[in-house]
């Protein structure tokens, strides 16, 4: 046999009342794949709630979760007026080494409320699975069947990793700072696309989504933080929040545009990338300025080239003057006055200069 052999791709025999439709495409049916990967794409459109991800389960193990976020204008044209139907596509790579030698890979749509809807399955064979034969000369043991109260054998449920995530993340989760929370409250985020540079473990990105952002991309150079950010978003059921390592969304063709670009961890993060940010920011750049001159003056001068209109927000934690500490100044910059004003909420009680 070839390295990876796909025997069939099956959709449910009866359409689900929770989905408008779905598809599964495996482009290399019946042929050898390159390396260890099975390429899987398609779309899923929720009827009452949008689909946030597609879960891949084999032998009761979750082997892959793919975000539903790829634009599918072909599906949108066939279903005008449906909620969030345009971004219903998915694409991912499944590592064959994580599958049984003869596998039945089940796919389920994860809707925004956390419910799962079966989408179909991919069945096939490969030559990469060796762990089972190493453990036992008789090969892998079949999973035990589960009997219901009436004695019938039921299909094993798709497992949940919620409890495992809770234990894993107990020591790493942090909350958004009071100042950054106040900053997000000053921005118009509802329905906007947001890019968060220096996303860390994702608290700011999830807070932006909780304030109504339509989609949030987070960029973080540390791969361990990216992994934690994704786990935290899964644990908190945060949909349409995605994390990427390094600056991949700022470089190369096909990059996206954003209504709000957040660079809250300091101006040094964006100083050398202002031209690239200006090219993808159809709305505003929000960044923290240095605490004092001459660094602040130099930062303002550099930002004006791409964002000539700006407002400064000086925010502190604490409610009273005696409680206030850690004052921080943020620049909200835009290409024109109208864009700037439409991006800001009420300014009462906040020092602002122009």
């Amino acid at each position: 046999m070839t390295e990876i052999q796909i025997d069939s791709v099956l959709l449910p025999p009866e359409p689900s009342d929770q989905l408008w439709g779905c598809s599964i495409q495996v482009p290399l049916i019946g042929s050898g794949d390159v390396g260890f990967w099975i390429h899987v794409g398609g779309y899923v459109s929720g009827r009452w709630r949008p689909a946030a991800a597609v879960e891949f389960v084999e032998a009761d193990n979750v082997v892959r979760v793919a975000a539903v976020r790829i634009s599918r204008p072909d599906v949108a044209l066939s279903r005008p007026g449906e909620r969030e139907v345009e971004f219903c596509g998915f694409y991912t790579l499944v590592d064959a080494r994580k599958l049984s030698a003869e596998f039945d890979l089940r796919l389920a749509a994860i809707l925004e409320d956390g419910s799962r809807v079966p989408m179909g399955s991919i069945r096939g064979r490969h030559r990469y699975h060796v762990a089972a034969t190493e453990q036992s000369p008789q090969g892998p043991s079949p999973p035990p069947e589960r009997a219901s109260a009436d004695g019938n054998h039921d299909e094993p449920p798709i497992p949940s990793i919620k409890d495992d995530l809770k234990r894993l993340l107990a020591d790493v989760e942090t909350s958004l700072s009071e100042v950054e929370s106040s900053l997000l409250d000053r921005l118009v985020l509802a329905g906007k696309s947001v890019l968060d540079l220096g996303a860390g473990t994702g608290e700011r990105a999830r807070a932006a989504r909780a304030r109504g952002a339509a989609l949030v991309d987070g960029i973080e150079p540390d791969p361990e933080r990216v992994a934690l950010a994704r786990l935290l978003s899964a644990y908190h059921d945060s949909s349409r929040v995605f994390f990427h390592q390094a600056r991949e969304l700022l470089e190369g063709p096909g990059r996206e545009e954003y209504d709000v670009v957040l660079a809250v961890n300091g101006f040094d993060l964006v100083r050398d990338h202002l031209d690239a940010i200006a090219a993808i920011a159809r709305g505003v750049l929000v960044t923290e300025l240095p605490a004092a001159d001459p660094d602040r003056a130099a930062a303002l001068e550099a930002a004006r080239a791409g964002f000539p209109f700006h407002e400064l927000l000086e925010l502190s934690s604490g409610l009273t003057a005696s409680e206030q500490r850690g004052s921080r100044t943020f620049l909200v910059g835009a290409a024109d006055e109208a864009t700037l004003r439409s991006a800001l909420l009420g300014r009462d009680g906040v020092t602002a200069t122009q």
Side-chain angles (χ1 to χ4, degrees):
M1 61 179 283
T2 56
E3 300 293 345
I4 300 175
Q5 179 81 23
I6 304 298
D7 296 325
S8 64
V9 178
L10 303 175
L11 295 177
E14 297 292 335
S16 169
D17 61 358
Q18 297 185 65
L19 302 179
W20 284 112
C22 64
S23 72
I24 304 172
Q25 286 113 33
V26 183
L28 297 174
I29 292 178
S31 65
D33 202 350
V34 178
F36 305 107
W37 307 105
I38 302 172
H39 300 248
V40 186
Y43 80 88
V44 55
S45 175
R47 185 182 296 270
W48 315 116
R49 300 175 181 85
V54 175
E55 190 174 62
F56 294 73
V57 177
E58 198 265 336
D60 291 340
N61 296 315
V62 178
V63 297
R64 193 70 172 172
V65 177
V68 175
R69 63 160 294 165
I70 297 175
S71 177
R72 287 292 300 263
D74 56 326
V75 179
L77 285 173
S78 66
R79 295 184 174 89
E82 287 184 28
R83 180 170 167 253
E84 299 190 49
V85 70
E86 180 179 355
F87 296 97
C88 66
F90 67 93
Y91 174 79
T92 192
L93 302 177
V94 177
D95 190 342
R97 293 168 294 181
K98 297 181 179 180
L99 306 178
S100 304
E102 295 186 6
F103 58 86
D104 182 2
L105 188 61
R106 291 174 288 145
L107 280 66
I110 305 177
L111 304 185
E112 284 197 343
D113 64 353
S115 60
R116 287 163 169 78
V117 183
M119 287 177 54
S121 65
I122 302 168
R123 296 176 180 174
R125 295 159 284 162
H126 68 86
R127 297 195 303 179
Y128 297 118
H129 190 76
V130 296
T133 56
E134 289 176 351
Q135 293 170 359
S136 170
Q138 288 77 34
S141 301
E145 296 185 73
R146 301 184 183 183
S148 60
D150 59 6
N152 295 322
H153 294 283
D154 297 327
E155 180 75 13
I158 295 176
S160 170
I161 58 174
K162 194 93 170 183
D163 292 338
D164 294 335
L165 285 175
K166 185 175 182 179
R167 289 191 292 269
L168 177 64
L169 299 171
D171 297 330
V172 299
E173 184 174 0
T174 59
S175 59
L176 193 67
S177 72
E178 184 179 343
V179 170
E180 292 187 14
S181 180
S182 298
L183 174 65
L184 294 183
D185 288 338
R186 291 294 313 278
L187 303 174
V188 176
L189 296 174
K192 305 298 184 181
S193 59
V194 178
L195 176 64
D196 184 18
L197 299 175
T201 53
E203 292 81 11
R204 191 165 47 244
R206 287 186 291 274
R209 172 63 172 151
R211 286 163 171 77
L215 180 148
V216 185
D217 277 319
I219 303 295
E220 170 56 44
D222 185 342
E224 292 187 4
R225 288 191 174 190
V226 170
L228 286 172
R230 291 169 177 167
L231 288 173
L232 281 164
S233 292
Y235 176 70
H236 289 296
D237 297 323
S238 297
S239 63
R240 298 190 180 277
V241 181
F242 309 96
F243 298 97
H244 315 264
Q245 188 181 350
R247 300 184 179 90
E248 59 195 52
L249 297 188
L250 298 181
E251 301 171 353
R255 60 191 176 191
E256 300 183 36
E257 293 185 348
Y258 297 88
D259 299 308
V260 180
V261 177
L262 300 174
V264 179
N265 294 338
F267 189 75
D268 287 342
L269 188 67
V270 299
R271 186 187 303 274
D272 297 330
H273 307 283
L274 287 170
D275 290 343
I277 293 173
I280 64 173
R282 57 174 171 246
V284 295
L285 166 67
V286 183
T287 186
E288 184 174 4
L289 292 177
D293 287 333
D295 292 336
R296 177 177 294 189
L300 278 171
E301 186 63 27
R304 283 195 185 101
F307 302 90
F309 294 84
H310 70 270
E311 183 155 326
L312 302 185
L313 305 180
E314 186 174 336
L315 304 175
S316 302
S317 58
L319 299 177
T320 66
S322 60
E323 294 174 335
Q324 288 182 0
R325 58 191 181 278
S327 176
R328 300 165 64 183
T329 302
F330 299 91
L331 176 143
V332 182
D336 57 75
E337 180 77 14
T339 299
L340 176 63
R341 295 304 163 199
S342 65
L344 290 167
L345 295 172
R347 304 171 183 81
D348 292 346
V350 179
T351 302
T353 60
Q354 184 175 342

